[in-house]
Amino acid sequence: MPEEGVPLTPKADLLTTEEILTLARLFVREGIDKIRLTGGEPLIRPDVVDIVARLHQLEGLRTIGITTNGINLARLLPQLQKAGLSAINISLDTLVPAKFEFIVRRKGFHKVMEGIHKAIELGYSPVKVNCVVMRGLNEDELLDFVALTEGLPLDVRFIEYMPFDGNRWNFKKMVSYKEMLDTLRQQWPELEKLPEEESSTAKAFKIPGFRGQLSFITSMSEHFCGTCNRLRITADGNLKVCLFGNSEVSLRDHLRAGASEEELRRVIGAAVGRKKRQHAEFLLLLQDSPPAIPSIFSQDPFRVQGIRHRVSFSNQKATLWEGGWFPRTPLLAQWRLRSSCPQRHYSSHLDSDANPKCLSAVAQAPATPSGPLPTADQLTHVDREGRAAMVDVGGKPDTERVAVASAVVLLGSTAFKLVQENQLKKGDALAVAQLAGVQAAKLTSQLIPLCHHVALSHVQVWLELDATRHAVGIRASCRARGPTGVEMEALTAAAVAALTVYDMCKAVSRDIVLGEIKLLSKTGGQRGDFQRT
């Protein structure tokens, strides 16, 4: 909880009980068989028991779950169980009462523990305990959490710290799944992996002889986009098809405007059809194979999460899963793409219409403008007296601007192998460089004196390993709508990402070469489009 608290949504904006049930009924008819009430905190809603009871009456709904902070759980759980609640997740990030109060901004640790024991007493098994692991805050409690599973039927789920609006995410705070697993194996080397369930978001493990188990939600280091089938409806009725996406569709507004069931079905189907094959730009993606679609999140006090949608919706997104790893670029911009991909790929975002290619050692071709590109007969950033001056763009029309730039870092064999195996002492070079590139794009006007500030609508940064050259290939794309272009933002992103790779690897070798920093393409503006072959 932020120290200053969070603004509450006006009650009139929230879905009513009947609106929640109308939408739930529609989704269940379309094949959803699990609904989870989450938040925020769902147990502060006075009609929560009634909602569970009425959801329980829906034919075809197999599971009704709830995710709660646990403070009110012991008091309400007997009623909820009688109403039909079948699964429980409890959020608990620490077993230290004083630390709990610091994180949650209120007392209540003992009430949460009471709620956990009440759930066990009433026969819930497993009771899932969600723990977001943050370096410097609670990573020292991993062993204590796992020790709980020795005598209790718990599934302790360690969640990698993820970047969401307002949580002041910092890469250094994230503790990766593999780091957590290494820590636990030192204490329990007999730790064994359990088979993964279909569409599961968790990697499950068990210590032989323990009643419970533990799991990892690896949203950052090893995402589960390819098997995610979650949808969420926020407290105020917005459908979110992706945890990390900003796109939302207001089902509440359609309901209150009198939309028919068929109209709602079309709206939902179209939204699901736009679901991306991978989550948005702040997520770090490290994996061995192409993914499909991502998980979902909302910070509103009450959400309905639907799982296992049927063919009627999923068919509409099937076309988004075709193709492969990297976004398709215009033909003339594919100057360094090939089909033989190394094992590690990094991207800050992937579009749905993607192409399974990776950087290669194809020789650079000369630039070829795709349309009229008149050149100025004098520099635009100097005044009549030859002094530096910012260009006045006040009279220019706003147009859609997109630019793509690239860079290459030649590492040498030793540093390349360490990056490829993610064995650098400083950490994951690709992850840090990707974040640095995104951040640099947003700060370009502060780094380049005569650049205008541009309100970027989208930034993408890709880092790809090229084993033939022992190199890291970098590509950055920026998009904005405005009176001035974004090529400087794209070039800055690529260049700073390259510098970051150098910084991460310089302890291993100083014989690292940064080069080939150039604009690949740009669109929009009075001077026409440009594409490099």
Side-chain angles (χ1 to χ4, degrees):
M1 175 66 70
E3 189 172 2
E4 65 276 12
V6 294
L8 298 179
T9 304
K11 187 175 181 179
D13 293 345
L14 300 177
L15 289 177
T16 65
T17 306
E18 292 303 323
E19 287 170 337
I20 290 172
L21 292 165
T22 296
L23 292 175
R25 197 174 297 116
L26 173 62
F27 277 94
V28 171
R29 285 199 192 115
E30 292 300 317
I32 297 293
D33 63 11
K34 179 176 181 179
I35 290 178
R36 176 175 298 281
L37 308 176
T38 174
E41 177 45 50
L43 297 189
I44 65 173
R45 186 157 172 147
D47 56 353
V48 64
V49 175
D50 183 43
I51 289 174
V52 170
R54 295 174 68 179
L55 288 176
H56 187 57
Q57 297 171 8
L58 297 180
E59 185 178 350
L61 186 60
R62 299 177 184 175
T63 305
I64 303 172
I66 203 161
T67 298
T68 171
N69 62 25
I71 290 177
N72 293 323
L73 186 60
R75 176 174 59 86
L76 290 174
L77 189 53
Q79 301 173 60
L80 289 166
Q81 185 181 50
K82 186 176 180 180
L85 185 70
S86 51
I88 298 175
N89 288 48
I90 299 168
S91 300
L92 181 63
D93 295 331
T94 179
L95 298 174
V96 180
K99 197 185 295 185
F100 176 92
E101 189 174 343
F102 170 77
I103 295 172
V104 183
R105 307 292 180 187
R106 61 178 296 178
K107 297 182 184 296
F109 172 77
H110 297 293
K111 287 186 177 181
V112 178
M113 296 306 295
E114 182 185 356
I116 291 174
H117 287 286
K118 175 62 74 172
I120 295 171
E121 176 190 322
L122 293 177
Y124 288 95
S125 182
V127 175
K128 295 182 178 180
V129 176
N130 295 343
C131 175
V132 178
V133 180
M134 292 164 278
R135 195 180 308 280
L137 184 66
N138 63 350
E139 86 278 16
D140 59 333
E141 297 186 59
L142 290 173
L143 302 182
D144 295 332
F145 270 101
V146 174
L148 290 176
T149 70
E150 182 173 8
L152 299 174
L154 301 178
D155 180 1
V156 175
R157 294 146 57 90
F158 296 117
I159 303 172
E160 290 180 336
Y161 186 44
M162 295 177 282
F164 295 117
D165 290 342
N167 75 349
R168 299 171 185 171
W169 187 86
N170 185 306
F171 178 77
K172 294 179 180 179
K173 293 182 182 179
M174 194 196 85
V175 183
S176 72
Y177 147 64
K178 289 186 176 178
E179 182 179 343
M180 289 188 271
L181 189 59
D182 287 344
T183 299
L184 298 181
R185 284 198 189 281
Q186 291 177 25
Q187 178 70 22
W188 294 287
E190 69 274 24
L191 187 66
E192 59 185 34
K193 195 174 190 306
L194 300 177
E196 290 187 22
E197 299 178 7
E198 183 182 3
S199 300
S200 173
T201 59
K203 294 176 172 61
F205 292 78
K206 187 175 179 66
I207 299 171
F210 281 29
R211 287 186 66 189
Q213 65 181 51
L214 58 134
S215 305
F216 299 91
I217 312 294
T218 61
S219 309
M220 297 297 287
S221 63
E222 294 185 16
H223 71 86
F224 35 81
C225 297
T227 57
C228 173
N229 59 359
R230 273 64 171 167
L231 301 170
R232 274 183 171 83
I233 300 174
T234 65
D236 54 359
N238 287 333
L239 174 66
K240 289 181 72 75
V241 297
C242 174
L243 169 60
F244 286 85
N246 293 321
S247 177
E248 297 183 0
V249 176
S250 178
L251 300 183
R252 180 202 64 197
D253 290 351
H254 285 281
L255 276 174
R256 295 181 182 179
S260 67
E261 186 172 304
E262 182 57 35
E263 288 171 329
L264 285 170
R265 189 180 289 109
R266 279 200 301 271
V267 170
I268 295 166
V272 174
R274 292 190 296 270
K275 188 169 184 176
K276 298 292 185 181
R277 53 181 288 113
Q278 202 160 358
H279 33 46
E281 58 239 329
F282 290 111
L283 186 59
L284 316 179
L285 305 178
L286 171 58
Q287 58 186 48
D288 297 332
S289 60
I293 57 174
S295 55
I296 304 98
F297 175 82
S298 166
Q299 296 208 16
D300 284 302
F302 194 86
R303 298 198 302 271
V304 179
Q305 173 180 335
I307 299 182
R308 300 191 184 97
H309 26 275
R310 202 166 58 197
V311 175
S312 54
F313 288 163
S314 59
N315 277 353
Q316 297 187 51
K317 63 177 177 289
T319 55
L320 299 182
W321 302 347
E322 294 171 2
W325 184 243
F326 293 106
R328 185 174 294 118
T329 55
L331 180 62
L332 294 179
Q334 295 183 6
W335 62 278
R336 295 189 57 77
L337 301 179
R338 66 180 170 93
S339 59
S340 175
C341 301
Q343 287 298 303
R344 295 192 69 210
H345 311 280
Y346 246 87
S347 171
S348 59
H349 178 81
L350 290 177
D351 287 334
S352 56
D353 51 342
N355 196 354
K357 304 291 184 180
C358 293
L359 284 176
S360 74
V362 177
Q364 177 184 347
T368 303
S370 62
L373 190 63
T375 56
D377 57 3
Q378 61 182 21
L379 295 175
T380 58
H381 284 72
V382 293
D383 61 17
R384 293 179 180 177
E385 299 178 3
R387 293 174 300 192
M390 181 177 280
V391 175
D392 184 357
V393 298
K396 291 186 177 182
D398 286 354
T399 58
E400 190 73 15
R401 311 293 187 116
V402 179
V404 180
S406 69
V408 174
V409 183
L410 302 174
L411 293 172
S413 59
T414 302
F416 180 85
K417 183 177 180 182
L418 291 173
V419 171
Q420 187 177 43
E421 297 176 354
N422 194 16
Q423 295 297 316
L424 289 171
K425 289 185 177 180
K426 273 193 171 184
D428 196 323
L430 301 185
V432 179
Q434 177 262 320
L435 280 178
V438 172
Q439 187 71 6
K442 297 186 291 185
L443 296 174
T444 298
S445 63
Q446 298 179 40
L447 300 172
I448 312 297
L450 301 184
C451 276
H452 293 83
H453 174 71
V454 177
L456 295 170
S457 60
H458 200 52
V459 181
Q460 301 172 321
V461 178
W462 301 271
L463 293 101
E464 309 156 343
L465 295 182
D466 181 355
T468 61
R469 305 174 72 191
H470 294 142
V472 177
I474 300 166
R475 192 151 59 95
S477 171
C478 295
R479 181 186 298 123
R481 184 171 184 82
T484 187
V486 291
E487 52 261 53
M488 287 305 301
E489 283 70 19
L491 286 163
T492 301
V496 171
L499 286 167
T500 303
V501 172
Y502 179 94
D503 179 63
M504 296 292 289
C505 300
K506 66 186 180 185
V508 177
S509 172
R510 301 283 175 156
D511 188 21
I512 298 173
V513 178
L514 280 61
E516 302 179 38
I517 300 173
K518 54 184 171 289
L519 183 69
L520 297 182
S521 65
K522 69 173 286 289
T523 60
Q526 296 176 345
R527 299 183 65 225
D529 296 349
F530 167 83
Q531 290 179 336
R532 187 183 300 272
T533 55

